[in-house]
């Protein structure tokens, strides 16, 4: 039940800012009429008129009506959402009889944005006959709903999480509505988030930022929902992709939108031909490249250009190609060979060409001299060095070259060469930069932590340094294949790494660590061996300690592989199934054993832990450990707190040597697990001082009384929630480390305190605590522990008697009663709409109590009066034998002291029977409203309109 301040402080200003940027406000009642009632989605008159205007000679009135029907009937799924987006993009067609052919139709004018009709409305009610939803704000372009906004009051705890839950409910209950909507905004004044519909994980919700403006609420809202921006977001920054046969939807993050703009500006600058974009691993670099390619091809400024996208491995090429096909870039040429690439460039092929850099080997000079050729080079730090880069730039001397990298440029000579090739025209070397620290701050990626395996499991340090870390050829190593060549020469080191006894002991250690530390979190792991043979040896050893289905080997094929390697070869389909199953938290395998494959270009957000037994450094190390840095949220809403690397080699003993980059670029990349122990100890000391002292020397009910009194205010409560969530994340990562033993009793109390406070709110408690914490509270025996949840009373005529007998302190009783009323109202409101009003009064009482406007005795007395009212209303309805809706009318009229309340309600009973679909039918609702007016007028009510609105609002609210 929303608090009163939401509409006044957030929703109304949002709409005002929208109208100031060019949106026309339409009242909900008017909009309902123009979309043929609450069952309609599109503003029909605007849509039909605009479609004819934007498609002269192609669409007439009848054809416009036909397109409208098609649009409203797209499947209520993400597939339907893709179809709706294709309509907006102008990728859908109609048959033109006079021309005897299909013609694409235009629903939006992207060249002249002012030619579109921009409308905004609030309290947008939609029903599909089964469910009715009411969205806070909806934006429509040319009559089509495209953006939905959910607002929450600043005082509402975890308002953004609740707004996201609301959006998820819309997808479940009104998928027909969400099939058209493309973008969502969530805000509670403090922060302004946006995301794509049909992509409802918390990690896919982004904090809007625009570096060109101030960061206050008004500026952020106006910046994002300006009509031009919304058009660009809809048509340029949304992408549908298929991966392993699963359709998903992506919306670009602020740093990606910024990079697209900067690259397009560079491409349009005749004086500059180079640029380097560093977007850290896991921040969506591939999608940025695809969007840039698409825009270069579509933008008339570039005069039908050639865009050459260079990638560096088959796996990534296939991933890119499938994404491009799903993005509407159908005319894509993939260079099959060196000769094919040469033919494409020599024949002046326009559009998009995807190739691998090695196909430029021996390419002749001056193959194509055009200047509107744009070369987008993925992983630029390793693809354009040496002869291949010379062949590329010699063949296309007038092209513009934009390099992309997921890792910073290293300090070696190789790295300086990358800056020279791509970064020479920008003062800092980068055209656009999105660092590791920025990525973690934005939660685009999660922090990384590492621990060193016990000394007796690590390889000899001297051999590691001599055969790997101190080698000049290993510095700046930028590719796994390049790394493998270095390691092939490290004979002694490889023999140490593959020593059978060592592998056996590490397998036992990994199995135990996975079972105790990783599996309880619900996450998965990689085990990285030095080569393919090591992977096979690890698989055979791991199967002794874990069920064989727990792990799978994913290695590349060798033509002359011996039988012990060949038995682990996978067909393309088999590998695809394993990749898909691994990314699913509910499926096996739980551990993938790899050495080269999947260390780049593979994303599985559920991957949390990497057991590293392969020497790596610089780019390859950063790329590998980035496999565990993807954000993830489980089905209970718990977010992955970090990624973890357990180092069996000893690479992280000297971080500066392992990562030869500018220290500012890699600051905060990965921290030792001991840093978390220090932080945990600091927080537990603070908790003892600030929180446990509140309930010291008290137990159970008495401790709960002290805690609830102290945390009455929302601000204090919110502060504790933030504190405990950080502490719980640390505990989840560290548990069951022996270090925690001395803190367990105090941590248990803090967890119970958190549960107690959360139980006073309308949240499902079983999902509140993270997995290891929940298990501790369940299994740990703690004498004198604080009571960790408020009781729920069944509301009957005996409730107050039971309350009087209860020995719980008065503060505890206040929260017990409030929660009991809310739960009873939620459970029965559809059958008894009048209870909604009682629930709202209970919310107002508890809010006043939390703000200390009421003392404990006053709050308790008012809640007891509500219980009396609740019981009396239920009893009276049974006696009067009225249906829910007419009784709600009677109850409200009686409270307003209207004479003849009962007769008016019985008259309305006949109206409700006559118009059973009044909540979903505009026509029937008008008739019900008219009957109410007649009956209230007959009862001599003065403020008829207000009371009619109040009654209908109550009945509709109960039906939501």
């Amino acid at each position: 039940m929303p608090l009163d301040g939401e509409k006044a402080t957030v929703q109304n200003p949002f709409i005002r800012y929208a109208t100031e940027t060019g949106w026309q406000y339409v009242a909900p009642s008017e909009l309902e009429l123009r979309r043929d009632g609450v069952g309609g989605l599109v503003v029909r008159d605007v849509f039909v008129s605009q479609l004819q205007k934007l498609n002269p000679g192609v669409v007439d009135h009848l054809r416009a009506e036909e397109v409208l029907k098609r649009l409203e009937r797209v499947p209520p799924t993400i597939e339907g959402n893709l179809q709706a987006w294709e309509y907006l993009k102008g990728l859908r067609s109609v048959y033109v009889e006079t021309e005897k052919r299909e013609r694409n139709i235009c629903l939006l004018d992207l060249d002249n944005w002012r030619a579109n009709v921009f409308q905004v409305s609030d309290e947008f009610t939609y029903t599909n006959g089964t469910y009715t939803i009411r969205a806070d704000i909806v934006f429509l372009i040319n009559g089509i709903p495209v953006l939905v906004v959910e607002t929450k009051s600043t005082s509402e705890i975890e308002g953004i999480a609740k707004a996201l839950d609301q959006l998820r409910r819309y997808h479940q209950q009104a998928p027909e509505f969400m099939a058209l909507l493309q973008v969502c905004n969530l805000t509670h004044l403090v922060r302004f988030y946006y995301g794509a519909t049909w992509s409802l994980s918390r990690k896919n919700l982004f904090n809007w930022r625009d570096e060109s403006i101030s960061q206050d609420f008004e500026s952020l809202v106006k910046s994002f929902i300006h009509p031009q921006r919304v058009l660009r977001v809809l048509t340029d920054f949304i992408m549908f992709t298929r991966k392993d046969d699963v359709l998903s939807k992506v919306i670009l993050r602020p740093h990606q939108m910024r990079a697209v703009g900067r690259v397009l500006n560079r491409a349009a600058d005749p004086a500059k031909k180079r640029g380097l974009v560093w977007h850290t691993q896991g921040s969506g670099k591939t999608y940025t490249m695809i969007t840039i390619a698409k825009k270069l091809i579509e933008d008339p400024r570039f005069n039908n250009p050639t865009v050459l996208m260079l990638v560096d491995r088959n796996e990534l090429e296939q991933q890119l190609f499938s994404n491009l096909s799903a993005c509407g870039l159908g005319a894509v040429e993939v260079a099959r060979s060196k000769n094919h690439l040469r033919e494409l460039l020599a024949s002046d092929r326009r559009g998009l060409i995807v190739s691998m850099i090695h196909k430029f080997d021996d390419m002749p000079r001056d193959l194509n001299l055009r200047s509107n050729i744009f070369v987008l080079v993925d992983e630029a730090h390793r693809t354009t060095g040496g002869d291949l880069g010379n062949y590329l730039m010699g063949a296309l001397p007038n092209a513009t070259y934009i390099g992309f990298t997921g890792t910073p440029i290293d300090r070696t000579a190789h790295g300086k060469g990358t800056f020279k090739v791509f970064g020479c025209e920008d003062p800092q070397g980068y055209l656009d930069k999105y660092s590791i620290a920025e990525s973690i701050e934005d939660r685009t990626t999660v922090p990384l932590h590492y621990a060193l395996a016990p000394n007796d499991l690590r390889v000899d340090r001297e051999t590691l340094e001599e055969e790997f870390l101190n080698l000049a050829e290993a510095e700046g190593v930028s590719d796994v294949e390049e790394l493998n060549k270095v390691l092939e020469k490290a004979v002694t080191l490889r023999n140490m790494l593959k020593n059978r006894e060592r592998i056996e002991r590490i397998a036992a250690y990994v199995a135990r660590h996975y079972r105790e530390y990783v599996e309880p979190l619900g996450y998965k792991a990689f085990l990285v061996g030095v080569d393919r043979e090591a992977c096979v040896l690890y698989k055979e050893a791991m199967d002794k300690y874990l069920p064989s289905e727990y792990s799978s080997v994913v290695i590349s094929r060798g033509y002359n592989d011996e039988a012990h390697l060949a038995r682990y070869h996978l067909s393309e389909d088999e590998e695809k199934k394993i990749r898909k199953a691994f990314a699913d938290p509910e499926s096996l395998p739980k551990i993938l054993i790899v050495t080269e494959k999947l260390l780049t270009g593979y994303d599985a957000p559920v991957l949390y832990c990497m057991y590293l037994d392969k020497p790596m450094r610089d780019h390859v190390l950063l790329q590998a450990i980035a496999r565990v840095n993807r954000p993830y949220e489980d089905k209970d809403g718990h977010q992955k707190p970090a990624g973890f690397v357990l180092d069996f080699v000893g690479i992280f003993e000297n971080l500066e040597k392992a990562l030869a980059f500018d220290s500012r670029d890699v600051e905060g990349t990965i921290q030792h697990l001991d840093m978390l122990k220090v932080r945990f100890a600091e927080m537990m000391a603070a908790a003892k001082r600030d929180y446990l002292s509140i309930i010291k020397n008290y137990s159970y009910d008495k401790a709960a009384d002290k805690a609830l009194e102290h945390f009455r205010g929302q601000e204090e409560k919110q502060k504790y929630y933030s504190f405990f969530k950080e502490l719980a994340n640390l505990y989840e990562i560290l548990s069951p480390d022996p270090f925690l033993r001395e803190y367990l009793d105090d941590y248990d109390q803090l967890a119970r305190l958190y549960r107690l406070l959360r139980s006073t709110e309308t949240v499902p408690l079983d999902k509140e605590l993270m997995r290891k914490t929940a298990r501790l509270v369940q299994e740990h025996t703690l004498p004198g522990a604080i009571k960790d949840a408020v009781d729920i009373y069944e509301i009957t005529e005996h409730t107050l008697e039971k309350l009087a007998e209860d020995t719980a302190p008065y503060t505890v009783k206040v929260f017990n009663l409030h929660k009991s009323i809310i739960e009873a109202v939620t459970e029965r409101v559809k059958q008894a709409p009048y209870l909604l009003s009682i629930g709202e009064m209970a919310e107002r009482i508890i809010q006043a109590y939390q703000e200390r406007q009421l003392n404990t005795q006053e709050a308790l007395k008012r809640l007891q009066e509500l219980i009396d009212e609740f019981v009396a209303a239920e009893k009276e309805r049974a006696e009067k034998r009225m249906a829910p809706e007419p009784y709600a009318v009677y109850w409200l009229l009686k409270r307003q002291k209207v004479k003849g309340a009962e007769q008016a309600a019985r008259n309305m009973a006949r109206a409700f029977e006559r118009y059973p679909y009044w909540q979903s039918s505009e026509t029937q609702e008008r008739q019900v409203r008219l009957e109410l007016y007649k009956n209230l007028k007959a009862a001599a009510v003065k403020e008829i309109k207000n009371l009619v609105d109040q009654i209908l609002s109550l009945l509709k609210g109960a039906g939501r």
Side-chain angles (χ1 to χ4, degrees), residues 309-371:
M309 193 179 287
L310 293 182
V311 296
D312 72 332
R313 62 183 59 251
N314 286 313
E315 181 179 50
L316 202 54
E317 180 169 332
Q318 185 56 43
Q319 180 188 331
L320 267 174
F321 185 59
S322 64
N323 284 341
L324 292 169
S325 301
C327 294
L329 276 167
V332 182
E333 282 281 2
V334 178
R336 298 184 299 274
S337 64
K338 292 178 186 179
N339 285 337
H340 184 218
L341 178 60
R342 189 178 302 185
E343 286 168 18
L344 289 171
L345 294 174
S347 65
D348 209 29
R349 168 78 191 195
R350 307 298 174 111
L352 182 61
I353 301 171
V354 180
S355 177
M356 294 174 71
I357 183 69
H358 74 259
K359 293 189 172 83
F360 272 91
D361 193 24
D362 283 332
M363 193 70 72
R365 291 182 61 80
D366 299 336
L367 191 62
N368 196 315
L369 299 177
R370 271 193 296 113
S371 60

Side-chain angles (χ1 to χ4, degrees), residues 151-165:
T151 60
K152 292 295 171 189
S153 166
T154 48
S155 62
E156 191 158 0
I157 288 181
E158 296 189 350
I160 294 297
K162 290 176 182 176
L164 184 58
D165 281 343

Side-chain angles (χ1 to χ4, degrees), residues 33-94:
L33 282 171
R34 294 172 67 183
R35 58 189 171 96
D36 286 355
V38 289
L41 292 165
V42 178
V43 181
R44 307 184 82 81
D45 61 318
V46 173
F47 180 86
V48 169
S49 168
Q50 284 293 104
L51 197 60
Q52 293 176 85
K53 186 171 135 190
L54 296 175
N55 300 273
V58 176
V59 176
D60 57 14
H61 190 280
L62 286 175
R63 188 62 50 76
E65 290 280 1
E66 179 195 321
V67 173
L68 191 152
K69 283 177 188 170
R70 275 201 249 163
L71 193 61
E72 288 199 320
R73 289 175 186 165
V74 297
T77 62
I78 188 172
E79 294 284 354
N81 192 240
L82 168 58
Q83 290 177 26
W85 178 77
E86 287 172 339
Y87 274 109
L88 294 174
K89 282 280 292 176
L91 300 174
R92 290 271 165 165
S93 61
V94 295

Side-chain angles (χ1 to χ4, degrees), residues 394-443:
L396 307 170
N398 299 318
T400 295
Y401 292 87
I402 307 294
F404 295 82
T405 177
T407 54
I409 301 307
D410 58 77
R411 295 190 302 249
T412 66
H414 181 88
K416 288 173 184 170
T418 308
F419 269 132
K420 194 180 291 183
V421 172
F422 293 103
C424 56
E425 295 179 341
D426 293 290
Q428 303 300 317
Y430 296 109
L431 174 60
D432 196 77
K433 173 179 168 180
Y434 187 62
S435 70
I436 295 163
E438 288 175 288
S439 174
I440 292 170
E441 184 185 348
D442 287 347
R443 294 287 299 176

Side-chain angles (χ1 to χ4, degrees), residues 50-193:
Q50 284 293 104
L51 197 60
Q52 293 176 85
K53 186 171 135 190
L54 296 175
N55 300 273
V58 176
V59 176
D60 57 14
H61 190 280
L62 286 175
R63 188 62 50 76
E65 290 280 1
E66 179 195 321
V67 173
L68 191 152
K69 283 177 188 170
R70 275 201 249 163
L71 193 61
E72 288 199 320
R73 289 175 186 165
V74 297
T77 62
I78 188 172
E79 294 284 354
N81 192 240
L82 168 58
Q83 290 177 26
W85 178 77
E86 287 172 339
Y87 274 109
L88 294 174
K89 282 280 292 176
L91 300 174
R92 290 271 165 165
S93 61
V94 295
Y95 184 73
V96 182
E97 183 66 40
T98 55
E99 299 179 14
K100 304 295 182 191
R101 66 185 178 112
E102 294 280 332
R103 285 275 298 270
N104 280 11
I105 51 171
C106 175
L107 271 65
L108 306 175
D109 192 327
L110 304 178
D111 298 323
N112 176 18
W113 69 273
R114 295 180 191 279
N116 299 289
V117 175
F118 299 96
Q119 295 172 306
V120 60
S121 187
D122 53 351
E123 304 302 330
F124 188 105
T125 304
Y126 168 76
T127 184
N128 55 18
T130 305
Y131 293 102
T132 299
I133 59 109
R134 187 176 296 130
D136 288 341
I137 305 172
V138 171
F139 288 80
L140 307 95
I141 304 180
N142 296 338
I144 308 159
V146 293
L147 187 154
V148 59
V149 184
E150 280 302 307
T151 60
K152 292 295 171 189
S153 166
T154 48
S155 62
E156 191 158 0
I157 288 181
E158 296 189 350
I160 294 297
K162 290 176 182 176
L164 184 58
D165 281 343
Q166 198 111 333
L167 277 175
R168 288 172 176 149
R169 184 172 66 81
Y170 295 166
H171 282 77
Q172 290 164 2
Q173 297 182 353
E176 303 87 352
F177 172 62
M178 298 310 299
L180 294 188
L181 287 147
Q182 298 296 331
V183 184
C184 57
N185 285 149
L186 295 85
T187 184
H188 58 356
L189 202 63
V190 181
R191 290 256 176 127
F192 180 73
Y193 292 92

